[in-house]
Amino acid sequence: MTLSKPSDPRLAALRAALYRGIPALLAGCVFLAAWELYVDLSGIKPSILPAPSRIVVQGWLNREALIANTWPTLGATLGGFALSLAFAFAASILMDFVPFMRRALLPIFITSQTLPLVAIAPLVVLWFGFGLLPKILLVALVTFFPLLVALLQGYESTDRDITELLNSMKASRWRIFRLARLPSSLPYFFAGLRISITYAVVGAIFAEYAGAARGLGIYILNAKNNFRPDLVLAAVIVSAVLTLCLFGATLMIQRLIMPWQPSGERRR
């Protein structure tokens, strides 16, 4: 009698993820098939509503231009997100250690999120020029607030018994933060990270609308002005794929830092 070998946990997790993704995949296929069928049967002009097949073909034929314009958008996205992450982390530590700064700064940060990006982007480009800096600043403006709120909430979730134990051992404020408050904030931090990364690409594209030489935002704007909705949608697909890749990268980083909780939330 032979005993069966236990299955690989990574393979089992992959199968579970594929199984969970089947409904979304089927829904997407039905939607695309209905879209394709509607365009074929209605006879609508491609300059108004292109079929999915035309979008794919034209995107492939113009792949060099799409790739060339994707790199500047990716650079602005990563640069702005890095600045956002550094600023949110520094601000959260300051606001956690100094309650007065939290009361003083948090309303200002909340107000900054009420400013429309469409109105702010031209001003930032006017002040800082048409280079990479204004794009980085706009991406940081869009993405830092979810990170900040997630970190602050994570600090507050620290178990009070752990804090009291460290206080009884005469631990310093910084040591309590490093050993208790910071580890407690990790699940909240990664939740905020996933939210922010989905805004980052959109923020970079909006910044390029306001003024840029290259980028997916400029490519979409030029395609729209040339009445090429197929190329507009092809660039939108590229931006969506880029966002999904960055989202997946955050999950991989979480898996490395928090191996006991690789996906944030477990489903039964």
Side-chain angles (χ1 to χ4, degrees), residues 12-228:
L14 178 60
R15 289 175 178 173
L18 292 175
Y19 179 77
R20 290 195 300 267
I22 287 176
L25 181 62
L26 291 177
C29 291
V30 170
F31 173 74
L32 292 176
W35 182 356
E36 185 81 25
L37 186 62
Y38 171 76
V39 172
D40 290 340
L41 296 179
S42 64
I44 191 170
K45 295 181 179 179
S47 59
I48 298 176
L49 180 64
S53 58
R54 179 181 176 85
I55 296 171
V56 173
V57 170
Q58 293 301 316
W60 176 255
L61 293 176
N62 293 271
R63 60 187 181 277
E64 293 183 359
L66 283 169
I67 293 173
N69 285 277
T70 299
W71 290 116
T73 302
L74 179 61
T77 300
L78 295 179
F81 196 71
L83 177 63
S84 171
L85 184 61
F87 180 74
F89 188 68
S92 68
I93 294 177
L94 177 64
M95 295 166 70
D96 185 65
F97 275 73
V98 186
F100 171 78
M101 297 303 296
R102 179 168 183 166
R103 294 192 299 270
L105 295 178
L106 192 57
I108 297 176
F109 293 150
I110 294 174
T111 303
S112 70
Q113 300 304 296
T114 65
L115 302 176
L117 187 62
V118 177
I120 294 299
L123 294 177
V124 175
V125 172
L126 179 64
W127 295 334
F128 297 99
F130 289 88
L132 184 61
L133 180 59
K135 284 78 173 176
I136 290 177
L137 293 177
L138 287 169
V139 172
L141 177 64
V142 171
T143 58
F144 90 94
F145 190 70
L147 290 171
L148 177 66
V149 172
L151 285 168
L152 291 176
Q153 188 174 1
Y155 299 154
E156 295 298 328
S157 68
T158 305
D159 192 336
R160 184 172 298 179
D161 292 338
I162 297 178
T163 303
E164 292 178 354
L165 175 62
L166 291 173
N167 281 325
S168 66
M169 299 173 66
K170 307 299 182 182
S172 64
R173 180 71 183 276
W174 173 251
R175 191 172 182 83
I176 294 174
F177 176 83
R178 184 171 60 86
L179 296 179
R181 298 180 73 82
L182 185 59
S184 298
S185 69
L186 287 179
Y188 296 86
F189 166 71
F190 281 107
L193 193 70
R194 291 194 294 271
I195 294 173
S196 295
I197 201 65
T198 58
Y199 295 156
V201 177
V202 177
I205 291 176
F206 264 107
E208 290 167 352
Y209 280 159
R214 292 190 306 163
L216 288 176
I218 291 297
Y219 187 88
I220 292 173
L221 189 61
N222 291 334
K224 177 184 72 69
N225 293 336
N226 291 323
F227 301 99
R228 293 295 304 273

